[in-house]
Amino acid sequence: MAEGNRENQVTDTTVFYGHPPCDGWTNNTEGAFYHLGNTALFLGYMGGSSAYGSLFIFGFMTPAFTCLALWGWMTMCGVDVFTWNLLLLVACMLQICHLIYRLQQDGLANEELSALYSAVYLPLDVPVQVFKDIVGACENKVLALRVEETYAVEGKTPINQLSFLLSGRIRVSLEGQFLHYIFPLQFLDSPEWESLRPNEEGNFQVTLTAETDCHYISWRRRRLYMLLSKERYITRLFSVMLGSDIANKLYSLNDKLFAKSGVRLDIRLPSLYHVLAPSPPGSEGEMKDRVVHNSLPDPDSLCWFKQMEVPSVYILEVCSLDQDGETAGWEAGNHLCVFL
């Protein structure tokens, strides 16, 4: 054991102290290639740890080892110095090629799809590969609508796809009357999509018309259902996005409800929910009492609502009551389309 320790001490002494000491420091410099190469190494090691940071590092190390290889060949005239720096140069170039390939594989070729990922899916921490699966279901195609071109016509266009608006503005109307707008980063037909089961068919109950030049992506119904059946994560993601989109569309209709006094009725309030609830025939007086007890604004011109159910759409028409609780007639144009 003691002999082994003695041998190790001899080896260490030979390594650190076995070389001849320096007689003196030279004032000669190694030339421009040597200093330029080390400067590039110094800058290269300031890169980060991400893919782009690694590309930055190897991007500086490549010219650095090029300069050092030239220094070993032209100044030092040493085969070993030149060979090692040349091998390091080749390794850096291979790393750069690999990083560029990875970035191309992870990136999105379409600028509009890249903007969609950054605006919607990146804040939700959706991986790029998952987003590629989602846009792959729509064949990575961005479709266009010209001004006044219709996306869907009420009662005629079948519900066979789901679309997401990337740019432009869509006008939603019912029987020629304006309901609300659809803005970028919103679904065009989320209420219709949610209104049908996978084995059901139906038609749009509203008309969607482009007010400006629009771009959107669209998933075919069957292909999207196949993707959702395979990927539970994407299913939950679409469920959250569709629910939020439908809620925003419903709240956007809030401005369409006004009492005669000009006070806006908030469709989110529980009191208005009770007014919207259906009541048995012949209970106008009971309905009036319910309206009064729920403290709607402007009791002198009470409003109640007639609910007519059609596929995926509820038409709420505003009706005024006179002081005896009788209907004074339907007010023309005061109706609201609520998607459920």
Side-chain angles (χ1 to χ4, degrees):
M1 190 70 178
E3 293 180 358
N5 293 334
R6 190 178 300 110
E7 291 178 359
N8 291 335
Q9 291 177 359
V10 172
T11 303
D12 295 341
T13 302
T14 303
V15 171
F16 290 103
Y17 303 105
H19 58 81
C22 295
D23 295 334
W25 296 97
T26 179
N27 293 326
N28 298 327
T29 58
E30 294 297 335
F33 284 120
Y34 178 80
H35 294 288
L36 183 61
N38 283 280
T39 301
L41 282 176
F42 176 77
L43 296 174
Y45 285 124
M46 293 183 180
S49 59
S50 63
Y52 288 101
S54 299
L55 188 62
F56 177 88
I57 293 174
F58 290 111
F60 272 95
M61 291 177 69
T62 298
F65 289 123
T66 302
C67 292
L68 292 176
L70 292 174
W71 168 74
W73 180 264
M74 301 174 64
T75 304
M76 293 297 295
C77 297
V79 178
D80 55 345
V81 177
F82 171 76
T83 303
W84 277 112
N85 284 286
L86 182 62
L87 290 175
L88 291 172
L89 170 62
V90 173
C92 289
M93 294 180 66
L94 293 176
Q95 285 287 348
I96 290 176
C97 295
H98 175 67
L99 287 170
I100 293 176
Y101 174 77
R102 279 184 52 193
L103 291 174
Q104 288 181 344
Q105 290 295 108
D106 294 341
L108 298 168
N110 194 305
E111 294 183 0
E112 290 182 299
L113 295 180
S114 299
L116 172 62
Y117 176 76
S118 301
V120 178
Y121 292 90
L122 183 60
L124 298 176
D125 294 328
V126 177
V128 176
Q129 189 57 47
V130 174
F131 178 72
K132 284 187 174 183
D133 294 337
I134 294 174
V135 296
C138 63
E139 300 179 353
N140 294 284
K141 292 182 179 179
V142 177
L143 306 177
L145 281 176
R146 301 301 179 188
V147 179
E148 295 303 322
E149 185 177 353
T150 56
Y151 171 81
V153 179
E154 55 188 277
K156 296 182 179 180
T157 305
I159 305 172
N160 56 8
Q161 61 187 1
L162 177 66
S163 301
F164 193 85
L165 186 63
L166 301 180
S167 62
R169 186 174 64 185
I170 301 291
R171 182 178 67 252
V172 182
S173 59
L174 176 66
E175 297 179 355
Q177 295 190 353
F178 169 77
L179 296 179
H180 64 89
Y181 285 116
I182 298 176
F183 296 101
L185 305 183
Q186 293 182 349
F187 286 99
L188 272 69
D189 40 13
S190 53
E192 287 78 12
W193 174 271
E194 288 292 330
S195 67
L196 297 179
R197 296 178 180 178
N199 57 349
E200 294 180 342
E201 296 181 356
N203 295 329
F204 278 82
Q205 300 299 318
V206 292
T207 299
L208 280 67
T209 309
E211 280 215 339
T212 62
D213 289 337
C214 301
H215 291 87
Y216 67 97
I217 57 176
S218 184
W219 297 272
R220 286 295 174 182
R221 188 179 178 192
R222 178 174 299 178
R223 187 166 183 177
L224 183 55
Y225 272 129
M226 291 178 61
L227 176 64
L228 298 180
S229 63
K230 296 178 182 178
E231 301 291 341
R232 295 186 60 186
Y233 176 80
I234 299 179
T235 302
R236 292 194 297 268
L237 178 64
F238 266 81
S239 178
V240 171
M241 294 179 62
L242 288 168
S244 175
D245 188 81
I246 293 174
N248 291 333
K249 285 182 171 60
L250 184 61
Y251 293 158
S252 69
L253 298 176
N254 191 52
D255 292 333
K256 302 289 289 184
L257 288 178
F258 284 89
K260 284 186 176 180
S261 61
V263 179
R264 186 176 66 180
L265 306 181
D266 195 336
I267 61 176
R268 294 169 291 181
L269 296 179
S271 59
L272 189 59
Y273 166 78
H274 291 296
V275 176
L276 296 178
S279 60
S283 58
E284 289 85 356
E286 180 182 349
M287 179 177 294
K288 178 181 177 181
D289 293 338
R290 180 172 49 177
V291 171
V292 173
H293 287 120
N294 280 287
S295 302
L296 279 175
D298 193 11
D300 293 333
S301 58
L302 301 175
C303 298
W304 61 290
F305 296 85
K306 174 186 176 184
Q307 189 177 58
M308 301 183 296
E309 183 177 356
V310 295
S312 75
V313 178
Y314 285 85
I315 308 299
L316 307 180
E317 297 190 0
V318 180
C319 178
S320 60
L321 299 176
D322 58 19
Q323 298 299 323
D324 297 328
E326 300 295 334
T327 60
W330 298 103
E331 297 182 0
N334 289 337
H335 63 272
L336 170 65
C337 178
V338 179
F339 301 90
L340 296 176

